[in-house]
Amino acid sequence: MAYPTFRRTFLVAACALFAATAGTARELPPKPSVADIVKASKPSDWRPLDPDNTLYMDMPFGRVVIELAPAFAPNHVKNIKALVREHYFDGLAIVRVQDNWVVQWADPNEDNDKARPVKGAQKTLKAEFTVPIKNDTHFTRLPDVDGYAPQVGHSNGFPVGRDPKTGETWLAHCYGMVGVGRDNDADSGGGTALYAVIGPARHLDRNITVVGRVISGMPQLAALPRGPAPMGFYDKPEMNVPITSIKVAADVPPAQRSHVEVMRTDSATYQAVLDAQRNRGGPWTKVPAGHLDLCAAPIPVREQP
Amino acid sequence: MAYPTFRRTFLVAACALFAATAGTARELPPKPSVADIVKASKPSDWRPLDPDNTLYMDMPFGRVVIELAPAFAPNHVKNIKALVREHYFDGLAIVRVQDNWVVQWADPNEDNDKARPVKGAQKTLKAEFTVPIKNDTHFTRLPDVDGYAPQVGHSNGFPVGRDPKTGETWLAHCYGMVGVGRDNDADSGGGTALYAVIGPARHLDRNITVVGRVISGMPQLAALPRGPAPMGFYDKPEMNVPITSIKVAADVPPAQRSHVEVMRTDSATYQAVLDAQRNRGGPWTKVPAGHLDLCAAPIPVREQP
């Protein structure tokens, strides 16, 4: 079986000698893979999710875990938690899947008289497209060039861009990032319509308030049927994928919580992960990329041991 | 309904005046969207697919149209057409979907004694990871910086990288590109296992022979269930998605052919498409990206009028 994947180097480590003898003129020395580095990591390389800033979106296909980023969108994170706690999302649905772009959930009746009312939370908020760099105390910079931001890297498990000239930093629209849908007015979103990124969307950076990242559940979200209507909307109510409920993890009994950990992106182990992606070793890889795009940098997640 | 998408600028053009009055301090002047430019394009901005270098992969969910790139992988394209014409793929299956990575089709029995024999075609070929720049007569360069190649752009409808120092050019692993699975040996692939890219994979550039691009059918391929086995393989035979047949378009009666056209990437109209993506106008966009990643550059396709 032939694999178009670097992971092959991990799975066929035992074949390395064979490959070295049977292989090509451009054999690279083997290097630890990301899987090797994760396997060899220390407990201190990982952090648990903060239950106060973790959402569980329970769906027919299972639980989607979302880590919120209050350092980058404090008011929107607060408002989304208020919406969750007034059960705004319970029984709403995924209403849109646009291929290679976004999966969006909202009130299917948002535009008609059956629209669900917002009670104590805010319907709209002032945009939080960027925050002052000083608010970001966990930034580790990638050395790799980026076309969308003067600097890119990671902040406490989130991909970010920053501009030292303006003093701004922002969450980057990489795969699995969660943003706040809005209309033309920058301040027209509040969190009642949210989306997860499933395609190249970096041009949305600094144009939308980004509130967090899907930590588990992306394979299920990304495999949902694409919507046939313009922009990937489902055009029949029966196509909508119902949301059983969205809860703040802190409000869920500990026995029912998901116990996942995220690798600390300010750890030396994470730097090794990045290098393993940037410059792969043999025997599968023939030409190391020598570059790692921000959105191609994996952020390892694991079940708590 | 709130939309995290530039297409909103097209759909709410009529609201631009309202948005300008109700809008924010950072209102951008409206600009034509990609949809506007496609709508205003001339017949000469488009080219039909060459039936001799087009594959139809007929699946239970419909037809996947693949444009082959003989200029970049002449021997593999020739061999894949030979495999198709000996009906090698008919009744085989999609055996692997790895989230945010690849969709792969091959012989589910490849590793056992029920493996389908290769008759007149070759099982493996010498790698065609790159070709001499002189072979590429249609290159139009993107001005945008790229971390994976010294130069990037498009060649006759395909995203490409090139290195003037080595005199090499190659097809880039963007969404929908089709590559040839292989084992560790660079020359161990031949086209019996093929994959389509559904996630960031540019680090595979120059490590795999890329043979073409999916022109239609990506939304169906990308929405297939992810495989539960390592690397996204389906671990039960009933999970495999059967291939009804793969045919060369030239072998299909004209009445049964798909009539799609691809925008000429060396046209002025395509340059306008790229600029519309690189620097969007208002009212939705507040901060134009000022950059367009190679794999975020759309290559418009349409039904022949």
Side-chain angles (χ1 to χ4, degrees), chain A residues 43-269:
Chain A
S44 60
D45 295 325
W46 302 82
R47 61 172 175 82
L49 297 179
D50 170 8
D52 288 322
N53 287 302
T54 302
L55 299 181
Y56 297 153
M57 182 163 73
D58 286 317
M59 304 294 296
F61 53 74
R63 174 175 286 178
V64 175
V65 179
I66 299 169
E67 179 173 27
L68 297 169
F72 287 86
N75 298 327
H76 282 74
V77 164
K78 189 179 168 197
N79 197 55
I80 289 166
K81 286 159 65 176
L83 286 165
V84 164
R85 286 176 163 146
E86 69 181 56
H87 302 285
Y88 176 81
F89 295 102
D90 303 357
L92 299 187
I94 290 169
V95 295
R96 173 193 185 195
V97 181
Q98 185 168 2
D99 190 54
N100 201 30
W101 183 237
V102 294
V103 173
Q104 186 168 321
W105 53 100
D107 180 357
N109 295 306
E110 187 170 9
D111 298 329
N112 65 43
D113 56 11
K114 292 202 231 85
R116 178 166 299 187
V118 173
K119 300 170 197 157
Q122 301 298 312
K123 185 123 175 98
T124 65
L125 287 175
K126 192 168 186 329
E128 295 176 298
F129 297 163
T130 70
V131 295
I133 282 176
K134 63 174 171 50
N135 293 21
D136 177 8
T137 56
H138 292 79
F139 182 66
T140 51
R141 186 177 174 181
L142 283 176
D144 310 271
V145 66
D146 185 85
Y148 291 99
Q151 298 182 3
V152 292
H154 294 87
S155 175
N156 213 18
F158 297 101
V160 302
R162 51 165 53 185
D163 184 348
K165 285 208 186 98
T166 65
E168 297 171 298
T169 184
W170 55 88
L171 294 175
H173 277 81
C174 295
Y175 187 75
M177 294 298 283
V178 176
V180 173
R182 66 165 172 89
D183 278 318
N184 287 338
D185 190 316
D187 304 333
S188 59
T192 57
L194 297 170
Y195 64 91
V197 172
I198 60 169
R202 289 285 311 281
H203 62 273
L204 293 179
D205 293 0
R206 293 178 288 172
N207 282 285
I208 279 200
T209 300
V210 183
V211 294
R213 184 172 83 97
V214 174
I215 296 297
S216 70
M218 278 311 296
Q220 291 74 28
L221 290 175
L224 291 172
R226 280 47 181 158
M231 300 167 47
F233 279 94
Y234 292 143
D235 57 1
K236 297 185 190 64
E238 59 268 30
M239 292 179 132
N240 293 335
V241 183
I243 298 168
T244 309
S245 68
I246 302 185
K247 293 191 170 74
V248 178
D251 301 341
V252 172
Q256 295 165 33
R257 293 182 192 168
S258 301
H259 297 287
V260 290
E261 293 184 324
V262 178
M263 183 173 279
R264 295 183 189 275
T265 48
D266 54 1
S267 66
T269 298

Side-chain angles (χ1 to χ4, degrees), chain B residues 199-252:
Chain B
R202 288 285 310 281
H203 62 272
L204 294 178
D205 293 1
R206 293 178 287 171
N207 281 286
I208 279 199
T209 300
V210 182
V211 295
R213 184 172 83 97
V214 174
I215 297 297
S216 69
M218 280 310 295
Q220 292 74 27
L221 290 175
L224 291 172
R226 281 46 182 157
M231 297 168 49
F233 279 93
Y234 292 143
D235 57 1
K236 297 185 189 63
E238 59 269 28
M239 291 178 140
N240 293 334
V241 183
I243 297 168
T244 308
S245 68
I246 302 185
K247 292 189 169 75
V248 178
D251 301 341
V252 172

Side-chain angles (χ1 to χ4, degrees), chain A residues 1-8 11-12 19 22-24 96 98-102 104 110-111 129 145 147-148 175 181-186 193 195 200 203-204 206-208 218-219 222-224 226 231 233 280 283-287 289 291-293 295-296, chain B residues 1-8 11-12 19 22-24 96 98-102 104 110-111 129 145 147-148 175 181-186 193 195 200 203-204 206-208 218-219 222-224 226 231 233 280 283-287 289 291-293 295-296:
Chain A
M1 183 69 75
Y3 306 107
T5 166
F6 68 91
R7 290 188 176 79
R8 181 69 173 170
L11 295 178
V12 298
T24 71
R96 173 193 185 195
Q98 185 168 2
D99 190 54
N100 201 30
W101 183 237
V102 294
Q104 186 168 321
E110 187 170 9
D111 298 329
F129 297 163
V145 66
Y148 291 99
Y175 187 75
R182 66 165 172 89
D183 278 318
N184 287 338
D185 190 316
Y195 64 91
H203 62 273
L204 293 179
R206 293 178 288 172
N207 282 285
I208 279 200
M218 278 311 296
L224 291 172
R226 280 47 181 158
M231 300 167 47
F233 279 94
R280 292 175 170 74
W284 193 91
T285 298
K286 309 306 175 187
V287 182
H291 175 75
L292 181 60
D293 183 79
C295 290
Chain B
M1 181 69 77
Y3 308 107
T5 166
F6 68 91
R7 288 188 177 79
R8 181 71 172 169
L11 295 177
V12 299
T24 71
R96 173 192 184 197
Q98 185 168 2
D99 190 55
N100 201 29
W101 184 237
V102 294
Q104 184 168 322
E110 188 170 8
D111 297 330
F129 296 163
V145 65
Y148 291 100
Y175 188 77
R182 65 166 174 86
D183 276 318
N184 288 340
D185 191 317
Y195 65 92
H203 62 272
L204 294 178
R206 293 178 287 171
N207 281 286
I208 279 199
M218 280 310 295
L224 291 172
R226 281 46 182 157
M231 297 168 49
F233 279 93
R280 292 174 169 74
W284 193 89
T285 296
K286 308 306 175 187
V287 183
H291 175 76
L292 181 60
D293 183 80
C295 291

Side-chain angles (χ1 to χ4, degrees), chain B residues 39-61:
Chain B
K39 198 173 171 191
S41 64
K42 306 181 301 294
S44 60
D45 294 327
W46 301 83
R47 61 175 174 81
L49 297 179
D50 170 8
D52 288 321
N53 287 302
T54 301
L55 300 181
Y56 297 152
M57 180 162 73
D58 286 316
M59 305 293 297
F61 53 75

